[in-house]
Amino acid sequence: MDAPPPLDDMPKMPPGPNLLWTPNVEAEIDNWIRTGIYPFPELGLHFVDQFNSLSKIDRRLVHHISTIYRDLQHKGMLSCTAWVDKLPIFLDLTAGNDFVMSAILAFSATNLAAETKSVETRNLAYHHRGIALNGLHVAIGNFSNVNSDPILAASILLSWQASDW
């Protein structure tokens, strides 16, 4: 029977996505997980329970995009881009619409990937984008007044991530 290779010869697992974790960010997210209280009341969301089922990494993505909103709000610059001004609406539409949640997560991961140049983070964005596109396809197949706003939100969020046109 062959002996296992020495640990130094073992292939290294690639690092996870670079989500710009800081001790403060980690503490805020850990508190959010522990208490269930969304750490951005300034967004004025009507629905926040949908975030409680997210993984820690996905909460980091929501946290990242919410932090951008908060920072721009404090600077009086919410109207500097269309997405920042509409973010609370998009986040509220994630309630009961997993494909909108996936579009938000992809949007945040795309932003982080551009900032960090991390291949793993870009792959995380692709992953969430694929889930969002599949869910959007199903929702369009069942188009109604009830899902028209979520369909529009996901379509807008996904179009803002397109880089091939």
Side-chain angles (χ1 to χ4, degrees):
M1 187 162 167
D2 292 339
L7 290 179
D8 291 346
D9 293 344
M10 298 291 286
K12 304 285 187 235
M13 290 295 293
N18 183 350
L19 302 179
L20 299 176
W21 289 99
T22 65
N24 185 49
V25 166
E26 186 141 19
E28 268 192 337
I29 293 172
D30 286 342
N31 187 55
W32 181 11
I33 290 169
R34 190 172 44 262
T35 65
I37 299 172
Y38 176 66
F40 299 93
E42 56 270 79
L43 270 76
L45 300 184
H46 299 101
F47 308 103
V48 293
D49 290 343
Q50 69 273 21
F51 303 133
N52 291 336
S53 63
L54 295 178
S55 69
K56 189 170 183 177
I57 286 175
D58 288 348
R59 284 184 196 226
R60 172 61 185 124
L61 296 174
V62 172
H63 185 278
H64 171 70
I65 211 74
S66 299
T67 299
I68 293 172
Y69 180 94
R70 179 179 60 196
D71 292 349
L72 290 174
Q73 182 184 44
H74 288 252
K75 294 175 184 175
M77 298 177 62
L78 286 181
S79 61
C80 72
T81 67
W83 75 263
V84 173
D85 192 40
K86 302 299 180 205
L87 185 63
I89 295 168
F90 294 149
L91 287 171
D92 269 338
L93 287 170
T94 64
N97 298 292
D98 291 343
F99 66 100
V100 180
M101 178 69 78
S102 293
I104 285 279
L105 298 175
F107 186 69
S108 181
T110 299
N111 180 274
L112 280 164
E115 195 172 331
T116 64
K117 309 293 188 240
S118 166
V119 172
E120 293 83 6
T121 308
R122 187 172 59 230
N123 288 339
L124 180 61
Y126 288 139
H127 168 76
H128 285 300
R129 199 171 305 126
I131 294 170
L133 284 167
N134 285 335
L136 180 59
H137 176 76
V138 170
I140 289 171
N142 297 310
F143 192 85
S144 70
N145 285 339
V146 173
N147 70 3
S148 61
D149 285 344
I151 287 172
L152 180 59
S155 298
I156 290 169
L157 286 162
L158 291 167
S159 73
W160 286 337
Q161 298 169 60
S163 60
D164 58 348
W165 49 292

